[in-house]
Amino acid sequence: SATLEPNSLSVHFCLAIKNIRSGSMIADPMANLGDAGGDPSGGDTTGGGQGEIFNLQAQMYNIKKMDEIRSFMGIVSGCAAGIWGLTGLQGLVCFIVLDLFVSISMMAKMNFSLKSYTRQSLFGYLTADMQKNSLSFMLFWTLFYGLVYLF
């Protein structure tokens, strides 16, 4: 009877799955992050530059939290604009000013080090989710304006 020998690829795959399930991190051997292998001088053999590491899970968490804050801002500022009785361009200016205020406040909380928390450009960060939040703003703006001034 013939027995099948596992090839090295399947052994590595099984070890990788075992490490993932046990919570161990698997370092990319091409990134020169591990203790073994790589350039003995400590240099970068991949041509990738400084070897900066960016945690994608942390970025996704940061983007989720910023989205939650901006969504809440859209709702609250819409309520405020409706209660204040703003109409037309006054309401639009209110939304833009409050949206920029919240974005700059979050940047101040990040010590104005945007690249440490996200890979967005400054313009991309300031205008992120503006269209989505404007819809929430308009919904609550018209709702509260109607409740206070029409009924």
Side-chain angles (χ1 to χ4, degrees), residues 85-122:
L86 301 177
T87 58
L89 291 177
Q90 293 174 337
L92 177 65
V93 170
C94 174
F95 170 72
I96 292 172
V97 167
L98 290 175
D99 188 65
L100 291 175
F101 175 75
V102 168
S103 294
I104 292 170
S105 297
M106 285 190 296
M107 280 185 65
K109 183 72 174 169
M110 295 185 281
N111 295 324
F112 296 97
S113 176
L114 188 60
K115 293 296 181 188
S116 298
Y117 294 90
T118 181
R119 293 291 186 211
Q120 294 175 321
S121 67
L122 180 62

Side-chain angles (χ1 to χ4, degrees), residues 9-126:
L9 180 61
S10 64
V11 170
H12 290 294
F13 179 74
C14 291
L15 289 175
I17 296 298
K18 180 180 174 187
N19 287 337
I20 290 171
R21 287 184 182 161
S22 67
S24 301
M25 293 300 294
I26 301 171
D28 182 8
M30 296 299 289
N32 285 333
L33 298 177
D35 293 331
D39 188 9
S41 65
D44 186 13
T45 59
T46 61
Q50 297 294 324
E52 181 180 334
I53 301 171
F54 190 75
N55 189 342
L56 187 61
Q57 288 177 330
Q59 179 190 16
M60 297 306 291
Y61 178 79
N62 292 337
I63 289 173
K64 179 182 173 203
K65 288 299 176 183
M66 287 187 282
D67 180 52
E68 290 173 2
I69 292 169
R70 287 182 174 136
S71 295
F72 185 70
M73 179 281 314
I75 292 169
V76 171
S77 61
C79 295
I83 291 170
W84 292 335
L86 301 177
T87 58
L89 291 177
Q90 293 174 337
L92 177 65
V93 170
C94 174
F95 170 72
I96 292 172
V97 167
L98 290 175
D99 188 65
L100 291 175
F101 175 75
V102 168
S103 294
I104 292 170
S105 297
M106 285 190 296
M107 280 185 65
K109 183 72 174 169
M110 295 185 281
N111 295 324
F112 296 97
S113 176
L114 188 60
K115 293 296 181 188
S116 298
Y117 294 90
T118 181
R119 293 291 186 211
Q120 294 175 321
S121 67
L122 180 62
F123 180 77
Y125 170 76
L126 292 175

